[in-house]
Amino acid sequence: MNRNPRYDILFEPIKIGPVTAPNRFFCTPHALGTGQQMPHTRAAMREMRAEGGWGVINTGYCSIHPSSDDAPLPYCRLWDDDDIKVHELMVEAVHRHNSLAGVELWHGGDGTGNRLTRAPLMSASGISTGSNYPGWMNLSQSRFMDKKDIKEFRQWHVDAAIRAKKAGFDIIYIYAGMNFGPYQFLLPWLNKRNDEYGGTLNNRVRLMREIIEDMREAVEATCAIALRFSTDELLQVPSDTFKSEAHEIISIMSDIPDLWDVKAASWTIEAASARFTEQGAREPFTNFVKPLTNKPVVSTGRFTSPDEMVSQIKRGIVDLIGAARPSIADPFLPKKINEGREDEIRECIGCNICVSGYHDCVPVRCTQNPTMGEEWRRNWHPEFVPKGNPKKSVLVIGSGPAGLECTKTLGDRGFDVTLAEASKELGGRITKECKLPGLSTWARVRDYRSNLIQRMNNVNIFKDSPLTAADIIELNCSHVVLATGAKWTRNIPDKDGRPGEELLNQNVFTPDDILEGNFPIGPTLIYDFDHYYMGSCIAELLTKKGLPITLVTPANAVSAWTFMNNELIEIRRRMIELEVEIFTDHDLSDFNGNTAILKSIFNNENKKEIEISSIIIVGKRQPDNSLLSDLNNELSSTKESKIESIHSIGDCKNPGAIVHAVYSGHECGRAIEGDTEIPIKWERPKIFS
C-alpha cells in the first residue's frame, strides 16, 4: 500500500540546528522505568521506535551530577565517563535505523530527594517546593545557591554535554521545566534573589541562557541544543510588554536553542489520562510559541490520529509531532502511516499503565502493546511473531482482552484458529467498561484486535456461541485456550482483611450488575476496596443519573491506587464536583437493607450509621473457571480426544487489570506449543574486584 498524500508533510525532513531529523515524528524524552541499571533493556525499547520510523528518539531524564538523584525512581545519568558506554548502546541502536538520538540532561534542584547520594538539595533562593505525597516528600529543605554553586551548576551541564557528545548523541537537552534545573530561577515566587540572577525577567532567564551558550561552545556546534520548557505556570504571570512572562521568555530566548520542546509544569497534567483529557489538550499552552521563534517547536498531545498531526503542523502549532505514550502503544505508528496502513495503528488508550510502571520502578508496561519492556529480555517484537504449525488448530473461548490478543497472536503465527464468544458482541469486559464515563478510548483494545483478526483467512469467529465441555471435545482442536473472564463478588473482608462472607441482600449490587444496566434505586453506597477506576466511575455514572451517592473506602483516598497512573487528583476533584459524599479510612461493617454500618479502620468502636437503599460492592473478582473444571472432568472419562493442551488466560486464571489480560493472551499465543519459549535474560551488575 502507498502513503496517503495528505500525510506527506509528516515525512518531510526537519533541520534542528546542525542536524536534520528524517521526518516530523519525534519521541520526546520520557522515562522508561529502566534507569541506568538496565542498559540493554533501555536500548532495545528505544531501538524499536527507531525501527518503527520515529525520526528522533530521546532518552528519559538523565542526571548530570550526584546532587540530582531521584532514587528509587529509575533515571539514567552521565555523572562520569564510565556512564558513557551505557548510553552508547542506545545511540548505536537508534543510529542503526538512521534516526537521531537525543539526551535530556537533567538537574532536579530541590525537586528530587537525593535519597541515594545524600547530597544537599539546592534551589534558586533556598525555597523548597515540597510535595503532598509521602513517596515524594523530602525531610530535608533546599539551600540557597550562591555564586560558587551557580558556577559549578553550569560546569556540570558542560561536562555532561561533552560526555553526551562522546556517546554519539545528536541532540542535547537542557531541562527547564517541572521545577527542575533553571526553571526555578524563572518563577518569581521561587526566585527572590537580588543579584544578576534575580529580579527582572532578563536576570531570571540569565542562567538558562548561559547554560545553553556554555553547552553549545563545549560541543562545538556538532550537536543540536534543545530547551525543554514549561509554559503553563508562566502564562499566568503578567508581563509589561507581552501577554505573559511565558511569551516574553520565548521572545527573549527566541533563537538561542535549536529546538523548543514545550511541556506542562506538572507531571500529572503533562501525562494526564484519557479519562480526563482529550487528544491535543496541551494546545492552549503551546500555540503561542511558534509565532515568537524561527526555531522548530515540538510538543505532545497523545496524538494517534495522523489527520490531527497534520492539522497541528498546518495550523502552525508545532513543527514536530511529539509523542511518548503513542510511541509506546505503537512503536511502528510512523511506518504504518507511511505505508498507508493507518487503520492498523495500535492507538494509545490513555490509561496510563505506562506511567504506573515508572512509578513502580519497573520497565514501562502498556495495555495496548504487550511486548513493551520485553524487547530485549524475551526478544519480543510488536509486529512479528515466530511462525507456528498451520496444520495445528486452536480453539479460543472468550473474546475479552485476553482472548482477542491470543487469537490475534495465534492468527499471526499461522495457526488454524477458531474464536468462540458466548455473547452477541466481541470484547468481553472491554465492551462493557468502555461505556463508563471517560473510558471510551478503551474500546480501542477491542477494535484494534477484532479489526485485524476479522481479516485473517485462518481465523474463524463465532459469536453467540456458548460451548459446553462436550462441544469442545467434539470440535477436535489441537489446543484449547479458555478466556472466560471473572465475576465481581459480593464478599467484603472480615476484621483481619481476609475474604469474608458474601453480603446477601436483594439491594446489594456488584459492578457486573451496573455494567449490565441493572441499576439501584435511591440513595446508594459504593464500598470500594478495588482502589482502581471502577468505584469512582460507577459513582460518576449513577450521580449523573440522579442518585445520591456515598463512596466508602478503607484506603486513605478515593481510588487510592490511581496515584500510580496520575488520576488520583482528578478523580477526587470529579467526586467533589459531583457532590459525592466520601468516607475514607472506613470499612463497611453491616447492611440491613436500610442502614449501612461503617467502622473506622483505626478504631473498632468508632462506627457510623448511614441510611441508604442500596450498596454496590467494588472489591474482589472470582475467576470463571467452571468450564475448565467441566472440561477436565469430561476428558478424564474420554479416550478419543485429540486435545494436546489446555490453557487458561486472563481473568479466568488471575483476575487483574486489562493490561494483565492482554499480556497473558499474548504470552500464551507465542508459547502455545512450547517451541517458541525463549529464556528470559536478566540485566546483571558488573562485579568489581
Side-chain angles (χ1 to χ4, degrees):
M1 297 174 66
N2 297 319
R3 182 172 75 214
N4 189 319
R6 72 172 182 263
Y7 303 138
D8 286 350
I9 194 171
L10 298 174
F11 295 89
E12 295 175 347
I14 297 292
K15 190 170 178 58
I16 306 173
V19 300
T20 300
N23 57 44
R24 296 180 186 264
F25 294 96
F26 193 103
C27 281
T28 50
H30 70 88
L32 280 175
T34 55
Q36 196 77 355
Q37 291 72 36
M38 304 178 74
H40 297 92
T41 302
R42 179 159 56 110
M45 292 165 89
R46 300 289 185 194
E47 180 178 11
M48 198 60 73
R49 325 288 178 81
E51 183 185 340
W54 296 87
V56 179
I57 318 291
N58 285 283
T59 67
Y61 63 146
C62 180
S63 173
I64 62 173
H65 188 264
S67 60
S68 180
D69 154 42
D70 214 19
L73 292 172
Y75 61 95
C76 52
R77 64 173 188 254
L78 273 170
W79 291 353
D80 54 40
D81 287 354
D82 282 342
D83 288 332
I84 294 174
K85 63 187 71 174
V86 171
H87 293 276
E88 286 175 338
L89 276 176
M90 174 204 149
V91 172
E92 291 168 2
V94 168
H95 283 172
R96 274 195 287 272
H97 304 278
N98 300 314
S99 298
L100 299 182
V103 58
E104 182 184 46
L105 300 186
W106 163 78
H107 194 287
D110 89 319
T112 183
N114 293 347
R115 294 172 176 86
L116 179 63
T117 63
R118 305 180 76 170
L121 306 179
M122 60 176 72
S123 61
S125 299
I127 300 173
S128 298
T129 53
S131 172
N132 294 326
Y133 296 104
W136 293 359
M137 290 178 181
N138 295 323
L139 298 181
S140 173
Q141 296 181 203
S142 61
R143 62 178 175 80
F144 176 86
M145 289 177 66
D146 59 24
K147 294 295 181 60
K148 178 176 178 292
D149 294 321
I150 289 176
K151 182 179 179 181
E152 290 178 341
F153 193 78
R154 291 173 58 182
Q155 188 61 47
W156 296 338
H157 279 84
V158 168
D159 294 342
I162 292 171
R163 293 180 188 119
K165 178 185 174 182
K166 289 180 180 177
F169 284 107
D170 308 291
I171 301 172
I172 302 175
Y173 268 79
I174 171 178
Y175 199 167
M178 292 178 69
N179 285 341
F180 297 143
Y183 185 67
Q184 289 194 348
F185 282 77
L186 302 178
L187 302 176
W189 53 90
L190 293 179
N191 186 343
K192 302 295 184 183
R193 304 176 71 96
N194 54 17
D195 59 9
E196 66 268 35
Y197 292 99
T200 67
L201 186 57
N202 270 311
N203 281 357
R204 286 183 273 131
V205 167
R206 186 184 305 275
L207 179 59
M208 190 163 68
R209 182 203 302 268
E210 289 176 343
I211 291 173
I212 293 175
E213 292 170 345
D214 291 345
M215 288 166 55
R216 177 170 283 114
E217 181 180 354
V219 300
E220 300 174 336
T222 57
C223 305
I225 305 298
L227 173 58
R228 199 164 209 206
F229 174 60
S230 295
T231 61
D232 44 347
E233 290 181 307
L234 288 157
L235 281 169
Q236 309 304 315
V237 182
S239 165
D240 293 335
T241 52
F242 292 85
K243 288 185 178 180
S244 73
E245 284 201 347
H247 290 74
E248 188 172 354
I249 289 170
I250 302 292
S251 179
I252 292 172
M253 298 282 292
S254 176
D255 296 327
I256 294 177
D258 296 313
L259 171 76
W260 287 89
D261 184 338
V262 186
K263 70 188 305 291
S266 166
W267 168 225
T268 56
I269 294 174
E270 178 70 14
S273 78
R275 183 175 170 187
F276 298 102
T277 56
E278 298 292 334
Q279 177 180 245
R282 294 280 307 127
E283 186 173 320
F285 308 110
T286 308
N287 57 15
F288 70 96
V289 177
K290 254 188 72 62
L292 296 173
T293 178
N294 292 320
K295 298 302 177 72
V297 176
V298 63
S299 189
T300 59
R302 210 175 65 249
F303 300 116
T304 59
S305 163
D307 292 302
E308 179 58 30
M309 297 175 191
V310 170
S311 172
Q312 288 277 314
I313 294 166
K314 288 187 172 180
R315 290 187 293 115
I317 307 301
V318 295
D319 299 286
L320 296 132
I321 301 300
R325 289 170 289 178
S327 71
I328 292 170
D330 198 336
F332 278 68
L333 183 151
K335 185 164 284 190
K336 290 176 180 177
I337 297 173
N338 192 36
E339 295 174 354
R341 298 187 293 126
E342 53 270 16
D343 59 334
E344 295 180 23
I345 292 173
R346 191 188 295 108
E347 291 184 277
C348 171
I349 70 172
C351 65
N352 279 7
I353 283 294
C354 53
V355 172
S356 75
Y358 162 72
H359 283 154
D360 274 329
C361 304
V362 297
V364 163
R365 318 301 197 200
C366 178
T367 297
Q368 277 283 59
N369 178 9
T371 68
M372 187 66 198
E374 306 295 341
E375 298 89 345
W376 178 77
R377 73 175 187 175
R378 302 194 74 168
N379 199 31
W380 283 5
H381 194 286
E383 298 300 311
F384 307 109
V385 290
K387 289 301 179 183
N389 186 348
K391 296 181 180 179
K392 292 296 181 73
S393 57
V394 186
L395 171 64
V396 180
I397 302 170
S399 70
L404 285 175
E405 176 61 26
C406 190
T407 300
K408 177 190 174 298
T409 305
L410 292 166
D412 286 336
R413 294 188 61 201
F415 288 101
D416 176 13
V417 187
T418 298
L419 173 62
E421 167 57 45
S423 71
K424 292 180 172 61
E425 293 182 273
L426 300 180
R429 62 183 288 193
I430 293 290
T431 295
K432 297 174 182 177
E433 293 180 18
C434 71
K435 298 173 185 175
L436 290 170
L439 303 189
S440 61
T441 59
W442 291 25
R444 294 173 178 177
V445 174
R446 173 199 63 205
D447 296 344
Y448 165 73
R449 290 160 179 82
S450 61
N451 288 341
L452 290 180
I453 65 177
Q454 288 179 78
R455 304 179 190 177
M456 296 179 180
N457 293 328
N458 58 322
V459 175
N460 292 298
I461 302 171
F462 296 93
K463 304 175 188 176
D464 199 15
S465 299
L467 298 180
T468 65
D471 295 331
I472 295 170
I473 294 172
E474 188 176 342
L475 285 169
N476 274 330
C477 290
S478 309
H479 305 281
V480 176
V481 179
L482 298 171
T484 47
K487 297 292 185 183
W488 291 88
T489 73
R490 290 173 170 77
N491 298 75
I492 59 175
D494 65 16
K495 61 183 179 63
D496 297 315
R498 296 171 301 208
E501 294 297 319
E502 189 173 15
L503 194 59
L504 297 175
N505 187 295
Q506 64 178 1
N507 293 328
V508 175
F509 298 77
T510 71
D512 289 324
D513 296 317
I514 307 304
L515 294 171
E516 293 290 345
N518 182 17
F519 299 132
I521 298 173
T524 299
L525 183 149
I526 299 173
Y527 180 44
D528 180 11
F529 54 99
D530 173 61
H531 307 306
Y532 192 14
Y533 58 89
M534 186 60 72
S536 58
C537 278
I538 290 176
E540 183 172 352
L541 174 70
L542 297 183
T543 299
K544 290 179 177 178
K545 289 183 176 294
L547 271 65
I549 299 296
T550 299
L551 198 153
V552 178
T553 176
N556 62 0
V558 175
S559 301
W561 182 87
T562 60
F563 167 77
M564 303 297 288
N565 74 334
N566 285 356
E567 288 185 334
L568 184 70
I569 294 173
E570 291 301 325
I571 288 174
R572 184 59 186 254
R573 184 178 287 124
R574 181 66 54 83
M575 294 300 100
I576 292 172
E577 290 171 355
L578 295 171
E579 298 182 350
V580 173
E581 187 175 16
I582 294 170
F583 290 92
T584 59
D585 302 314
H586 277 77
D587 283 320
L588 173 64
S589 178
D590 198 8
F591 174 57
N592 62 10
N594 298 301
T595 304
I597 308 297
L598 307 185
K599 181 178 61 178
S600 167
I601 65 170
F602 304 113
N603 183 349
N604 287 336
E605 304 304 317
N606 187 356
K607 296 184 178 180
K608 293 182 173 65
E609 293 188 4
I610 300 179
E611 292 186 7
I612 48 104
S613 301
S614 306
I615 282 180
I616 303 171
I617 306 294
V618 185
K620 301 299 180 184
R621 286 182 294 153
Q622 180 67 35
D624 186 356
N625 48 28
S626 57
L627 185 56
L628 173 63
S629 178
D630 291 345
L631 182 57
N632 284 329
N633 289 336
E634 192 82 15
L635 286 171
S636 66
S637 59
T638 302
K639 298 180 181 180
E640 302 300 323
S641 173
K642 295 182 180 179
I643 295 175
E644 298 175 21
S645 69
I646 302 171
H647 307 263
S648 291
I649 61 173
D651 289 338
C652 74
K653 185 175 184 180
N654 293 101
I658 295 168
V659 62
H660 301 121
V662 172
Y663 180 85
S664 175
H666 189 82
E667 183 178 47
C668 180
R670 278 185 180 261
I672 192 74
E673 294 187 296
D675 57 348
T676 59
E677 187 67 33
I678 298 172
I680 295 177
K681 296 178 289 188
W682 303 104
E683 307 263 14
R684 301 186 188 278
K686 180 178 179 180
I687 306 299
F688 295 93
S689 59

